[in-house]
Amino acid sequence: MRICIRIALLLITSSTLFSQDGIQQTLQLLDNDLEKISEVGLIKGYGVAIVSKDSTLFAKGYGLSDVESGTPYTINTLQNIGSVSKTLIGVALLKAQEMGKLNLNDPINKHLDFEVINPSYKNDPILIWHLATHTGTINDTGLYDKKAYYLINKNDLSSEAIKGQSEEFQTLDNKVTMKEYLENFLSTDGIWYGKKNFVKKKPGTKYEYSNVGATLAAQVLEEATEMPYDEFTQQYILTPLRMKSSGWSFDTRDKNQHSKLYNDRNQELPNYSLVTYPDGGLITNLMDFSAYLTELMKGYYGEGTLLKKESYTTIFDERLPKKTSPKKANSYDDEFNSGIFMGYTPKGYLGHTGSDPGMSSFMFFDPELQIGHIVMLNTSLYGDAVNQQLIPILKAVRNCLYSKK
């Protein structure tokens, strides 16, 4: 669920603040740049937004959401956003804590009806905040890619587009529930259980990015609140933010607005879902996505509407040991430090990246600049697409945000 290529995004390092003079001219230049970049065509379609804590300043789609039909990619085009979805787990956990349903310092086994213990540290419980900072010592292993992805139509199992993917697609006939998946993976009685599923470190001491650990955090929330995760997030996040187009299932979204997804061979991927959907399965569009980022920014500045001020402080509190930023820092390395499912980059950006078959997404804001940006793409990233389109897109955004005009 991470960007599959470690991109060398060594972009502009100017500290000049976004100028209030000539904003429209600057945004027009951004639009012009993005239009030209879209003509390359390696990334079939994408959307870009620039937001403040008060509003969406710019949002536009480029290229195509469906190559065969020629349907353009627009601000209303729906697609999954990958691991950026994890930030909603963080918001949901803090909402549940405000409701008195759980505490981030709780051992996870207090809320689960199956036991999860690191076999190398049996007397050291895994706490909820460990999962939320990827220090829960749960290791995805190769099992994650083999067991998490399911095709909506089982006839697509013979599709040429899924051959060669690192992910192994299952059919819905073989699908297990999220809880069954976690029990199979993490319980000693589970059919996929093994000591290799855990890092040999004391819980809370070692950062190891884990999609399974994130999904387990959502399961803990389900058990603690007695509500399915999708219903909880709908009630306490999506509905309050009026994210009417967003959700966790194809069945509940407008299929006509959903983008096709394309692999690195220009092939259209069949529709798929995730049994571990909280870790990467949110379906949204550029306008809803922008409303969500605006709320996170409001929360950072003490003006959020979903959570209390102290809850947002907890989300954005850096939990990992401080590190010195390298001279040539990757602007989008969201594993530099961690809040509650909230990444910090060496440049000081807050947010998250996301990647799944046929898509990538970036959601970040600069707390000093007080401006955020979103990029969502409907094509798998690979060498030429990264060099000829992704990096130019991100550079164009950076030029806009740090313009001296």
Side-chain angles (χ1 to χ4, degrees):
M1 201 71 61
R2 308 299 290 154
I3 297 299
C4 42
I5 302 174
R6 282 295 176 187
I7 310 160
L9 298 170
L10 305 178
L11 304 181
I12 303 167
T13 58
S14 169
S15 60
T16 307
L17 294 180
F18 189 70
S19 171
Q20 293 301 311
D21 297 326
I23 287 179
Q24 292 306 314
Q25 179 184 1
T26 302
L27 292 176
Q28 184 59 57
L29 290 173
L30 171 64
D31 185 24
N32 293 342
D33 287 343
L34 294 175
E35 285 282 7
K36 291 178 182 177
I37 295 167
S38 72
E39 294 173 3
V40 175
L42 298 175
I43 294 174
K44 302 308 176 186
Y46 59 91
V48 174
I50 308 294
V51 307
S52 71
K53 66 179 178 63
D54 300 313
S55 65
T56 299
L57 304 175
F58 174 88
K60 189 173 178 181
Y62 300 88
L64 300 173
S65 68
D66 185 335
V67 174
E68 184 176 0
S69 68
T71 304
Y73 195 106
T74 74
I75 59 174
N76 298 313
T77 297
L78 293 167
Q79 70 165 76
N80 48 314
I81 58 171
S83 287
V84 182
S85 306
K86 291 181 176 68
T87 62
L88 278 80
I89 305 177
V91 174
L93 287 173
L94 268 297
K95 173 56 74 173
Q97 180 168 278
E98 289 182 357
M99 296 165 63
K101 300 295 186 179
L102 56 78
N103 188 287
L104 293 183
N105 290 317
D106 287 344
I108 59 174
N109 289 330
K110 176 180 178 180
H111 302 286
L112 296 171
D113 60 9
F114 59 95
E115 195 170 56
V116 178
I117 297 174
N118 185 320
S120 300
Y121 290 87
K122 295 181 179 180
N123 296 322
D124 294 288
I126 299 171
L127 308 182
I128 295 175
W129 76 262
H130 294 160
L131 298 179
T133 57
H134 298 288
T135 60
T137 65
I138 293 174
N139 187 12
D140 283 349
T141 74
L143 278 171
Y144 177 79
D145 283 346
K146 291 181 178 180
K147 303 295 183 180
Y149 295 88
Y150 288 81
L151 295 171
I152 302 299
N153 185 341
K154 66 179 181 181
N155 293 329
D156 288 329
L157 196 60
S158 60
S159 169
E160 286 294 322
I162 66 172
K163 294 180 180 179
Q165 291 286 140
S166 60
E167 299 82 6
E168 185 175 312
F169 291 88
Q170 309 290 320
T171 65
L172 292 177
D173 294 339
N174 300 319
K175 188 175 183 179
V176 295
T177 66
M178 184 170 78
K179 182 179 177 181
E180 290 170 337
Y181 175 95
L182 292 167
E183 283 191 88
N184 285 337
F185 202 104
L186 300 170
S187 170
T188 54
D189 295 328
I191 58 175
W192 308 325
Y193 178 81
K195 290 185 177 181
K196 65 180 180 180
N197 296 348
F198 296 84
V199 180
K200 293 181 180 180
K201 295 290 182 180
K202 181 179 177 180
T205 65
K206 170 68 174 178
Y207 182 95
E208 180 70 29
Y209 190 90
S210 177
N211 295 295
V212 177
T215 307
L216 183 60
Q219 182 65 38
V220 168
L221 182 136
E222 283 200 354
E223 301 291 345
T225 63
E226 299 182 325
M227 283 184 70
Y229 179 78
D230 57 345
E231 293 181 14
F232 188 92
T233 50
Q234 182 69 57
Q235 180 172 337
Y236 293 106
I237 301 176
L238 303 182
T239 297
L241 294 181
R242 299 180 181 178
M243 297 172 65
K244 295 181 180 180
S245 297
S246 304
W248 299 99
S249 169
F250 277 98
D251 296 334
T252 60
R253 301 303 98 209
D254 183 352
K255 295 179 182 178
N256 294 324
Q257 290 288 350
H258 203 286
S259 178
K260 304 296 185 182
L261 302 181
Y262 298 90
N263 65 18
D264 58 1
R265 291 166 285 158
N266 297 316
Q267 295 170 313
E268 179 186 321
L269 288 166
N271 292 335
Y272 62 86
S273 64
L274 291 161
V275 68
T276 60
Y277 73 91
D279 81 351
L282 183 68
I283 299 169
T284 190
N285 62 26
L286 197 57
M287 296 311 293
D288 278 11
F289 204 177
S290 297
Y292 176 64
L293 178 53
T294 290
E295 169 62 19
L296 292 180
M297 294 176 67
K298 284 181 182 290
Y300 182 86
Y301 298 113
E303 303 170 16
T305 60
L306 295 182
L307 301 173
K308 297 176 182 178
K309 184 176 180 179
E310 54 267 31
S311 293
Y312 272 119
T313 298
T314 299
I315 283 180
F316 292 111
D317 182 35
E318 294 180 71
R319 297 275 180 139
L320 305 182
K322 300 287 185 181
K323 294 185 290 186
T324 301
S325 179
K327 291 182 178 180
K328 293 185 177 181
N330 183 334
S331 299
Y332 295 91
D333 174 13
D334 59 356
E335 298 184 21
F336 189 70
N337 210 311
S338 178
I340 301 301
F341 286 121
M342 185 61 59
Y344 276 77
T345 79
K347 295 289 188 182
Y349 294 173
L350 287 80
H352 218 290
T353 60
S355 178
D356 262 324
M359 60 73 50
S360 293
S361 63
F362 301 77
M363 180 198 75
F364 289 93
F365 71 95
D366 184 331
E368 292 187 8
L369 189 67
Q370 299 189 24
I371 296 289
H373 61 282
I374 290 168
V375 177
M376 49 198 302
L377 314 105
N378 68 2
T379 308
S380 295
L381 293 178
Y382 59 99
D384 288 343
V386 170
N387 294 326
Q388 296 182 40
Q389 281 196 273
L390 177 62
I391 289 179
I393 289 168
L394 296 174
K395 281 187 175 181
V397 170
R398 290 278 295 170
N399 284 335
C400 171
L401 297 183
Y402 295 92
S403 172
K404 296 181 181 180
K405 294 185 182 296

